[in-house]
């Protein structure tokens, strides 16, 4: 896997996620110190979907982010480009609709979903701006976009500590727990290379979404951006 940047090779990223699929959720829980569950609930609350509505959960991986919607009786499509991730998800949750798809060319009709969401996957897309435009296309007018992504801690001293954790503590932990520790070095680098909260908000509005706001979680380790598709 090449070093992370905003210029990614789709085949390399896909192969990486296929390789780590079996233990991906366990690794996420360990490396986030158990925060992923709290962050996931905040995302679901921000989406605010109701029974009878349909949600696109993009870069859904094994479907852990899709489960709260399915459990609440909300129609959810878990879309990901990693066949390995989808295979694990289908085996665990056969009741969820898993669909293979490219975030930059979604296999869905215009105005298909009441809300579109992506958690910790936008930075791994080859063209994040195109993915934002595609999510706009498949979301109904007045519908919601929610993005959870690793970001930049707002407090400078903490930002320094966090960066040191990513590059020094994460690889040794990954070496013990993951089948592909190199993948987690890439993931750490991709977090460092990702734009900050305000820049991502600008990208979202440039794609055609409106009223973008964000909320920092855990001091800015993660940011949740929410926006709306214009009615006309």
């Amino acid at each position: 896997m090449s070093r992370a940047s905003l210029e990614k090779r789709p085949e390399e990223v896909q192969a990486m996620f296929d390789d780590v699929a079996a233990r991906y959720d366990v690794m996420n829980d360990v490396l986030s110190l158990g925060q992923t569950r709290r962050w996931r609930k905040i995302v679901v609350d921000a989406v605010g979907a109701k029974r009878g509505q349909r949600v696109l959960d993009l870069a859904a991986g094994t479907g852990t982010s899709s489960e709260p919607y399915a459990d609440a009786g909300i129609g959810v499509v878990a879309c990901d480009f990693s066949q390995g991730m989808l295979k694990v998800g289908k085996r665990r949750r056969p009741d969820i609709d898993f669909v293979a798809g490219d975030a930059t060319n979604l296999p869905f009709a215009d105005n298909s979903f009441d809300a579109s969401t992506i958690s910790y996957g936008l930075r791994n897309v080859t063209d994040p701006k195109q993915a934002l435009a595609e999510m706009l296309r498949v979301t109904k007018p007045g519908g919601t976009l929610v993005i959870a992504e690793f970001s930049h801690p707002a407090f400078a001293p903490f930002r320094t500590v966090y960066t040191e954790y990513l590059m020094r503590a994460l690889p040794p932990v990954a070496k013990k727990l993951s089948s592909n520790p190199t993948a987690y070095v890439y993931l750490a680098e991709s977090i460092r290379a990702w734009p900050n909260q305000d820049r991502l908000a600008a990208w979202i509005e440039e794609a055609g979404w409106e009223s973008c706001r964000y909320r920092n979680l855990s001091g800015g380790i993660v940011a949740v951006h929410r926006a709306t598709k214009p009615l006309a």
Side-chain angles (χ1 to χ4, degrees):
M1 187 72 206
S2 57
R3 293 179 68 84
S5 70
L6 297 183
E7 301 295 329
K8 306 168 190 73
R9 297 180 183 177
E11 66 279 5
E12 288 188 349
V13 177
Q14 182 174 359
M16 179 195 74
F17 279 106
D18 286 347
D19 193 37
V20 301
R23 304 199 70 184
Y24 186 70
D25 294 321
V26 173
M27 281 294 300
N28 282 348
D29 280 344
V30 170
L31 295 173
S32 69
L33 303 178
Q35 291 298 298
T36 50
R37 291 176 175 83
R38 184 176 74 88
W39 295 341
R40 191 176 300 128
K41 184 180 185 305
I42 290 170
V43 169
V44 172
D45 289 344
V47 170
K50 304 288 191 298
R51 280 180 176 268
Q53 293 187 323
R54 195 165 180 240
V55 174
L56 170 63
D57 186 16
L58 189 56
T62 62
T64 53
S65 56
S66 306
E67 289 175 353
Y69 306 105
D71 292 344
I74 296 164
V76 61
V77 175
C79 182
D80 201 280
F81 74 156
S82 167
Q83 293 288 350
M85 290 283 192
L86 294 172
K87 187 180 296 184
V88 172
K90 288 177 182 178
R91 187 163 56 243
R92 194 184 71 247
R93 288 297 300 259
D95 58 314
I96 292 177
D97 186 12
F98 286 90
V99 175
D102 179 354
T104 64
N105 186 22
L106 293 171
F108 307 111
D110 296 357
N111 307 322
S112 296
F113 298 93
D114 297 282
S116 293
T117 182
I118 181 169
S119 294
Y120 319 112
L122 189 61
R123 74 182 190 284
N124 296 313
V125 176
T126 54
D127 188 344
K129 293 182 180 180
Q130 177 61 24
L132 291 170
E134 275 292 275
M135 285 188 280
L136 182 77
R137 179 183 67 79
V138 302
T139 303
K140 297 176 183 179
T144 302
L145 171 73
V146 176
I147 298 172
E149 189 53 86
F150 289 103
S151 198
H152 298 252
F155 184 51
F158 177 53
R159 186 162 59 243
T160 301
V161 171
Y162 175 60
T163 302
E164 290 297 311
Y165 164 75
L166 281 176
M167 300 313 301
R168 294 189 181 184
L170 191 152
V173 173
K175 187 175 182 179
K176 292 182 179 180
L177 298 178
S178 173
S179 60
N180 184 356
T182 304
Y184 286 89
V185 175
Y186 160 81
L187 290 172
E189 291 178 341
S190 72
I191 292 169
R192 292 204 308 178
W194 187 244
N196 67 18
Q197 292 90 324
D198 290 329
R199 185 61 183 142
L200 178 55
W203 282 7
I204 291 168
E205 295 199 338
E206 287 167 9
W209 298 92
E210 64 182 12
S211 304
C212 183
R213 300 288 185 272
Y214 65 81
R215 172 184 175 185
N216 284 327
L217 307 181
S218 301
I221 288 177
V222 165
V224 176
H225 287 67
R226 188 179 190 277
T228 305
K229 181 171 178 175
L231 289 171

